């Protein structure tokens, strides 16, 4: 017997989304950030939502236990937003925890169990010094064969980057161009951790040097700045500081409802047209480090469910935890052929005014990457763009079909969602 193609048992709609500011907040816990995101989400629901009407919560969180010494975070955040005694479930799939929480919420409504579900994500990472954050994140690698041999996440993605360079002839400058683009977008996002373009950061360093009477760096453009090892040190070659997403505190929330009641909440609801999820072998076992099977699997499932193809997608938020990850993502999603993503980026096709805008929010690189929340943070951007509420970073074309792509670790998990209005 061949299994039937996956499809939703009934339609699911997105009727609200909001996030906390992403950044470093010494006085806030993951629960405080979740409350902030929840309030932003409630404010976004056109016709309002009574907290008591929400029937269940799925919350993505990678490791509140190790980051904050607080396990079992789901009932705690449920309590802080007034959901007790509703079921509250923590979802952990490394950096894709938020995206998988979204999928669990969709499945819960599609199955008919619930009509109104809150999905979210929260992570508080900046409590720990960088070395301990690095160790904590490395727990999401294959600790027997990767973490124990000294591999960190920058190191694992550096291996993917060198494989990509060797196979396709890309250079470090191509990675830098991904960072330049995403910081340009993040500069227009008031909730981003780094809401500054690389040009702004470069100019402010030059200004500082002048004010202090120090030697003024002779950077002519962003690439010069990024090639300067003092301004942009190597973390794990070829990944430098500005190739890495930062260490971030933040939370995000989205409200899902059954399609037949969506108009009770929202003037123009956004439908969930497709959801897909896949898995892959640990990085050290893969034949080819330049592609992620989980992403290709998740994308195909989501495209088939939605009845669309990559060329139909207007914009996408993809998992750019490192600059190389964005190039791999947009090839795995079928937006560009293998080995073509770096050329497309260089040609400006993925810029906000390009034919396939990618990471208009600033992406994980510039907006920030509070790991368990990032997948829902992507949904918040799609919500704003599809409603033409993205302010200065709003894309000019109509966005009728949009996609999110959220990766766990080096791609052991990937989840893809397609949003649309039919
Ligand atoms: N991109 C750009 N600038 C960054 C940055 C980043 N990712 N991270 C920090 N900075 C800036 C800080 O704002 C600070 O600037 P300032 O001197 O002008 O104030 C400076 O760099 C030093 O910051 P600091 O926090 O001391 O950096 P760090 O060396 O401790 O950490 C990394 C830098 C890259 C090691 C850290 O951000 C990191 O580990 N990132 C990857 C996280 C990760 O693996 N996530 C999971 C992915 S799967």
């Amino acid at each position: 017997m061949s299994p039937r193609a996956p499809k939703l048992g009934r339609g699911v709609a997105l009727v609200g989304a909001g996030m906390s500011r992403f950044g470093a907040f010494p006085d806030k816990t993951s629960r405080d950030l979740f409350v902030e995101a929840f309030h932003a989400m409630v404010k976004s629901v056109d016709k309002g939502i009574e907290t008591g009407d929400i029937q269940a919560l799925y919350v993505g969180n990678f490791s509140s236990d190790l980051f904050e010494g607080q396990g079992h975070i789901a009932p705690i955040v449920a309590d802080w937003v007034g959901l007790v005694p509703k079921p509250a479930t923590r979802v952990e799939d490394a950096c894709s925890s938020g995206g998988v929480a979204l999928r669990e919420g969709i499945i819960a409504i599609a199955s008919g169990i619930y009509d109104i579900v809150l999905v979210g994500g929260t992570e508080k990472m900046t409590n720990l010094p960088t070395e301990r954050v690095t160790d904590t994140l490395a727990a999401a690698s294959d600790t027997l064969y990767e973490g124990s041999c000294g591999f960190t996440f920058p190191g694992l993605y550096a291996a993917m980057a060198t494989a990509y360079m060797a196979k396709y002839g890309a250079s470090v400058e191509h990675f830098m161009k991904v960072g330049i683009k995403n910081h340009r977008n993040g500069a227009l996002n008031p909730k981003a951790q780094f809401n500054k373009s690389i040009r702004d950061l470069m100019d402010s360093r030059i200004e500082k040097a002048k004010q202090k009477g120090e030697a003024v760096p002779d950077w002519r453009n962003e690439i010069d700045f990024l090639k300067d090892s003092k301004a942009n040190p190597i973390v794990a070659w070829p990944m430098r500081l500005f190739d890495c997403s930062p260490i971030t505190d933040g939370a995000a929330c989205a409200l899902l409802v059954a399609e037949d009641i969506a108009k009770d909440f929202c003037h123009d609801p956004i439908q969930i047209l497709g959801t897909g999820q896949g898995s892959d072998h640990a990085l050290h076992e893969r034949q080819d480090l330049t592609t992620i099977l989980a992403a290709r699997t998740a994308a195909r499932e989501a495209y088939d469910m939605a009845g669309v193809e990559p060329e139909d997608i207007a914009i996408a938020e993809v998992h750019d935890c490192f600059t190389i990850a964005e190039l791999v993502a947009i090839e795995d999603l079928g937006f560009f052929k293998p080995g073509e993503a770096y050329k497309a980026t260089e040609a400006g096709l993925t810029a906000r005014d390009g034919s396939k805008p990618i990471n208009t929010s600033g992406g994980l690189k510039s907006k920030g990457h509070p790991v368990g929340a990032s997948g829902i943070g992507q949904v918040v951007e799609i919500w704003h763009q599809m409603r033409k509420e993205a302010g200065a970073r709003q894309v000019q074309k109509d966005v009728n079909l949009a996609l999110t792509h959220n990766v766990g670790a080096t791609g052991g998990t990937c989840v893809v969602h397609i949003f649309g209005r039919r």
Side-chain angles (χ1 to χ4, degrees):
M1 187 192 100
S2 60
R4 67 173 180 79
K7 65 173 186 149
L8 299 180
R10 63 175 173 158
V12 180
L14 174 69
V15 296
M19 59 186 272
S20 70
R21 172 115 208 241
F22 282 7
F25 306 108
D27 301 334
K28 290 182 183 171
T29 62
S30 58
R31 65 179 95 180
D32 298 324
L33 293 160
F34 190 85
V35 171
E36 212 174 307
F38 180 76
H39 287 312
M41 180 284 292
V42 168
K43 232 171 120 187
S44 76
V45 181
D46 295 332
K47 300 181 187 174
I49 170 75
E50 293 295 329
T51 307
D53 291 338
I54 297 172
Q55 295 169 292
L57 164 69
Y58 294 87
V59 58
N61 173 260
F62 169 52
S63 201
S64 55
D65 348 28
L66 297 174
F67 285 129
E68 295 180 283
Q70 173 64 70
H72 202 194
I73 195 77
I76 289 180
V77 297
D79 193 14
W80 277 51
V81 298
L83 283 183
V84 168
K86 306 293 172 54
T89 306
R90 168 177 164 183
V91 177
E92 191 276 297
D93 267 314
C95 309
S96 61
S97 301
V100 179
L102 167 65
R103 183 173 154 92
E104 293 301 317
I106 293 166
I107 292 171
I109 293 178
S111 74
I113 297 184
Y114 304 122
D115 292 326
I116 306 173
V117 169
L118 175 66
V119 292
T122 190
E123 205 81 57
K124 165 80 194 174
M125 300 172 74
T126 66
N127 269 356
L128 302 181
T130 301
E131 316 80 77
R132 287 191 51 208
V133 172
T134 305
D135 281 350
T136 302
L137 291 170
S141 69
D142 181 336
T143 55
L144 186 59
Y145 294 107
E146 294 169 350
S148 58
C149 305
F151 263 108
T152 60
F153 268 92
L156 290 161
Y157 275 89
M160 294 165 85
T162 49
Y164 190 91
M165 291 164 90
K167 187 167 179 186
Y168 298 122
S171 72
V172 290
E173 288 189 24
H174 293 111
F175 302 136
M176 291 170 181
K177 285 175 182 163
V178 175
I180 291 170
K181 168 187 72 75
N182 288 350
H183 270 265
R184 253 180 218 155
N185 292 341
L188 303 174
N189 185 347
K191 293 209 166 167
Q193 180 163 3
F194 293 123
N195 60 341
K196 282 204 163 57
S197 68
I198 291 178
R199 165 66 73 169
D200 290 340
L201 290 165
M202 178 183 113
D203 289 344
S204 74
R205 298 264 180 102
I206 292 175
E207 199 43 48
K208 237 186 226 164
K210 281 184 187 160
Q211 280 171 7
K212 288 187 176 166
E214 291 170 354
V216 178
D218 59 350
W219 306 314
R220 284 159 306 160
N221 53 38
E222 292 109 311
I223 294 287
D224 277 354
F225 171 76
L226 293 176
K227 280 185 169 170
D228 181 335
S229 293
K230 248 177 116 189
N232 188 23
I234 292 167
V235 176
W237 193 87
M239 295 289 99
R240 292 169 177 258
L241 180 67
F242 278 86
D243 290 295
C244 305
S245 58
I247 293 165
T248 309
D249 306 329
C253 283
L255 188 66
L256 303 176
V257 303
E259 201 171 27
D260 54 333
I261 57 168
K263 288 250 167 161
D264 297 344
F265 299 89
C266 188
H267 301 306
D268 196 9
I270 293 168
Q271 288 162 275
I272 309 288
L273 300 180
T275 172
Q277 186 175 342
S279 59
D280 199 351
H281 309 288
L283 194 74
H284 70 274
E285 283 187 281
R286 290 183 205 157
Q287 295 296 315
D288 184 348
L289 304 190
T290 66
T291 178
I292 295 174
L293 177 61
R296 288 184 278 120
T297 306
R300 186 35 54 204
E301 183 183 356
Y303 288 136
D304 287 349
M305 198 181 287
V308 302
E309 290 300 329
E311 53 273 21
D312 301 321
I313 303 294
I315 61 165
E317 287 287 301
V318 310
H319 196 96
D320 60 325
C321 53
F322 297 90
T323 49
I324 175 62
E326 177 166 315
L327 299 179
V328 171
I330 59 181
E331 292 178 7
D332 285 338
L333 289 166
F335 296 158
F336 301 101
K337 291 198 176 81
E340 297 291 320
Y342 73 93
K343 298 174 195 161
T345 304
E346 185 162 45
L349 305 188
T350 59
R352 234 172 32 257
D353 58 356
S355 56
K356 192 70 95 183
I358 301 291
N359 286 331
T360 55
S361 67
L364 279 39
K365 171 68 204 80
S366 168
K367 184 176 61 175
H369 186 20
V371 287
S374 291
I376 306 290
Q378 296 177 326
V379 177
V380 174
E381 178 67 7
I382 297 301
W383 167 260
H384 289 311
Q385 290 283 355
M386 291 190 76
R387 287 164 60 92
K388 295 195 185 304
E389 291 172 349
R393 63 183 194 285
Q394 180 69 47
V395 297
Q396 288 312 305
K397 59 180 171 182
D398 284 338
V399 181
N400 291 321
L401 273 176
L403 178 150
T404 57
H405 157 280
N406 187 199
V407 169
T410 47
T413 302
C414 182
V415 61
V416 170
H417 285 95
I418 297 175
F419 304 81
R421 288 198 187 92
R422 290 214 223 259

